[in-house]
Amino acid sequence: MALLRRLAVNAPRGVRVLSTPPPSRDELDLTFNSPRDAFKSKKTSELVRAYLVYQICSINWVVENNAMLMKRLRQLVGQRLFEAIMKATFYGQFVAGEDQIKIQPTLDRLRSFGVKPILDYSVEEDLSQEEAEKREVSASISTCGDTQEEGQLKQYHVEQRFADRRYKVTSARTYFYLNEASCEKNMEAFMNSIDTVAKITKSTGLMAVKLTALGRPQLLLQLSEVIMRARSYMQQIAGGTGNVLAHHKTIEDLQRYLGDYSARPEVQDFMNKVTSDKEGIVHLFPWSNILDKDMGLSDSFRVPDPKTGQMRRLISQISPKEEEMFRNMLRRLNNIIQVANEHDVRIMIDAEQTYFQPAISRICLEMMRRYNKNKFLVFNTYQTYLKNTYNEIVTDLEQAQRQNFYWGAKLVRGAYIEQERARSAAMGYEDPTCESVDATTASFHRCLKEILSRVKNEQNDRLGIMVASHNEDTVRYAIQLMKEHGIGPGDKVVCFGQLLGMCDHITFPLGQAGYSAYKYVPYGPVLEVLPYLSRRANENRGFLQKIKKEKGLLLKEIFRRMFSGQLFYKPSGNYTPV
């Protein structure tokens, strides 16, 4: 701007110098009580639609039977009129459009008001419970069988009663494995979405990926069990609890633990493969090798038994064909990340159920180690309703520091709490979730405080965090922490995210004030996103108390426009996203 001013001063008389006006910036009202700031990006008709949709979501009977009602409506009025009705109501509120061309106006408007998108192609199969259970059970058991073995952890084995992973879940998309060809198709859909993000978001967009879309769930179950059994083995060595990194044990400690057995050739071979650094044992296994196409899972995950000296397998039986499927899963994820890297699009790997999550996080961290050497490319997701999330974050932060890669995370409360509680109670393992809403909030805030306390210390600009929350208090707390640690809105350390069609009174004031703000933007053909819309309706019912304020702000803004002659207001923004 200083250069433009100098050019204007020195320009010959009569010559006009064109300058670009600076982007608009608003003062942030941390009470989030301003209807004008919240909805200046919306037409009045869109405000009326939002209020109508929220009102419908307050009728329990309608929400409980929404899938049946949509099916009956479609039969009654025909497909064309049904799609028009959906676009005027639920689809129009929560989904940006059918394809990358039709979502362009929505994304352009978001951008003009300082908000960026996280694109999600929200097409999913509308399976019956019976079909979902059948697929999940079939895809979760090895062809070698699921026989009971010593040290087996039942949490990481399929249970018929909970095989339909949609049970008690309203806010997360669910993929059910059909075959390898369907996983290839999902990979192609993700890569098409990357292309869309790159073309229409000008390198500010993100894309969400679910690992269960890319491979057989059995493999995630088995790898998760390996990880947890390896942790248990390390706890026996260390005489304590926690993750491997926390123990700071050396190779010599491991040799003392195994005694005379450490001289055996097979044990010495194991010792030579243990990953260690100046701090001690980082992990029992060279986890980076899981990305190696030549690594054999069955052969690699073995440890010496301290009682017999024999090598003990930590992974249940897995066939050569299933080993190949695991390689395929990683190949698909690699392809997606490589394409994202080429297009300058960041990838967020979603969190899933606890019985998959150890494997998902492990794979995600190794992808960070490979691809996040010079910039943020891959982000992990942490669910703070889980009791152990803080410890997981501290461990992962330490690994990122030791191995010198950019650590990016999305922090969420979580999507599976009711299912996790019901499953743990039924199967007889410890409930992994926090005991209350307040405990979950405390967990979220503790994790956030830990991460941001490191930003100006040892890891500087190598930490990035998305605060994905619809909770005003959490957003305020994050902004308070940013101020305490000298983190500015434009420092590219903290960003905020909410769902399209929800909590506009938080997202848009943040974006318009110069904070990095995102909307999670679903898109896809009307009929194929109906399962997503059904969940959104159910989720909004659970948010009724939370959206009470937003409904009030909607009404205030509608009446303000009516009485101020702005009923036909046309949104036009001059905000530039961070």
Side-chain angles (χ1 to χ4, degrees), residues 11-202:
R13 188 171 296 175
V15 176
R16 295 178 63 195
V17 176
L18 298 177
S19 63
T20 304
S24 299
R25 285 288 182 260
D26 297 343
E27 288 293 321
L28 179 62
D29 174 13
L30 282 174
T31 65
F32 299 108
N33 280 333
S34 170
R36 185 180 298 194
D37 290 343
F39 305 120
K40 64 170 67 175
S41 67
K42 296 286 189 290
K43 301 173 186 175
T44 306
S45 60
E46 291 168 332
L47 302 184
V48 172
R49 179 188 67 199
Y51 187 79
L52 173 65
V53 167
Y54 286 156
Q55 284 293 90
I56 293 173
C57 288
S58 68
I59 305 171
N60 280 338
W61 183 84
V62 173
V63 175
E64 288 169 1
N65 297 279
N66 74 82
M68 178 270 292
L69 291 173
M70 285 192 288
K71 183 178 179 180
R72 294 280 175 84
L73 179 62
R74 181 182 169 192
Q75 292 171 341
L76 183 65
V77 302
Q79 182 171 325
R80 183 174 295 182
L81 183 55
F82 173 77
E83 290 189 6
I85 293 170
M86 295 307 295
K87 287 178 180 179
T89 53
F90 289 94
Y91 182 94
Q93 180 68 14
F94 300 120
V95 183
E98 292 164 288
D99 54 43
Q100 60 179 281
I101 295 172
K102 291 182 180 177
I103 66 176
Q104 181 76 59
T106 298
L107 301 190
D108 286 344
R109 200 187 319 168
L110 286 176
R111 183 176 180 81
S112 71
F113 285 91
V115 176
K116 298 166 283 189
I118 305 172
L119 285 195
D120 179 29
Y121 189 59
S122 295
V123 169
E124 58 186 271
E125 293 179 273
D126 190 11
L127 299 178
S128 68
Q129 179 181 338
E130 182 182 9
E131 177 62 23
E133 289 178 354
K134 182 179 177 182
R135 278 204 202 176
E136 187 72 4
V137 170
S138 173
S140 297
I141 298 175
S142 171
T143 54
C144 299
D146 192 25
T147 56
Q148 291 292 318
E149 298 178 3
E150 183 184 354
Q152 204 172 67
L153 303 175
K154 54 187 164 185
Q155 179 178 355
Y156 302 99
H157 293 261
V158 70
E159 169 61 47
Q160 174 78 39
R161 290 168 290 177
F162 300 95
D164 184 351
R165 287 183 278 112
R166 300 167 301 184
Y167 174 70
K168 292 184 178 290
V169 175
T170 59
S171 58
R173 187 143 53 96
T174 304
Y175 290 91
F176 290 98
Y177 180 86
L178 178 60
N179 51 39
E180 293 296 286
S182 67
C183 294
E184 292 291 321
K185 185 178 177 182
N186 290 335
M187 179 188 72
E188 293 293 336
F190 285 132
M191 292 199 291
N192 289 338
S193 291
I194 290 170
D195 187 54
T196 302
V197 173
K199 286 178 179 175
I200 59 186
T201 66
K202 303 178 182 178

Side-chain angles (χ1 to χ4, degrees), residues 362-475:
R362 181 74 259 152
I363 292 168
C364 185
L365 237 64
E366 290 307 323
M367 291 298 180
M368 281 190 198
R369 186 178 178 184
R370 172 177 287 187
Y371 292 104
N372 286 16
K373 286 297 185 184
N374 301 307
K375 64 178 181 179
F376 292 107
L377 179 62
V378 180
F379 285 71
N380 198 4
T381 302
Y382 295 88
Q383 301 187 102
T384 61
Y385 69 62
L386 298 174
K387 296 173 185 174
N388 200 42
T389 296
Y390 175 82
N391 293 332
E392 298 287 341
I393 286 174
V394 169
T395 302
D396 292 352
L397 283 167
E398 183 168 351
Q399 183 178 346
Q401 183 184 0
R402 289 193 196 182
Q403 297 175 345
N404 199 31
F405 58 81
Y406 282 72
W407 183 84
K410 178 172 68 171
L411 213 57
V412 300
R413 276 175 167 75
Y416 308 100
I417 189 164
E418 289 187 60
Q419 183 187 107
E420 294 284 6
R421 286 174 175 169
R423 189 176 188 267
S424 62
M427 294 179 67
Y429 59 87
E430 183 182 353
D431 182 356
T433 68
C434 295
E435 63 275 9
S436 66
V437 172
D438 289 343
T440 296
T441 297
S443 170
F444 196 116
H445 290 187
R446 184 188 184 201
C447 294
L448 190 56
K449 185 176 182 179
E450 177 65 35
I451 296 163
L452 295 190
S453 70
R454 297 176 181 237
V455 169
K456 296 296 182 182
N457 298 324
E458 70 272 15
Q459 286 170 289
N460 297 318
D461 61 347
R462 288 180 169 264
L463 298 182
I465 178 75
M466 170 173 279
V467 180
S469 174
H470 295 141
N471 185 290
E472 289 181 22
D473 290 336
T474 293
V475 172

Side-chain angles (χ1 to χ4, degrees), residues 32 78 107 184 223 260 262 267 273 276 294 304 335 347 446 482 540:
F32 299 108
L107 301 190
E184 292 291 321
L223 186 57
D260 294 339
S262 61
V267 176
K273 293 177 182 177
S276 61
D294 296 324
N335 289 348
I347 295 294
R446 184 188 184 201
M482 289 173 69
N540 278 337

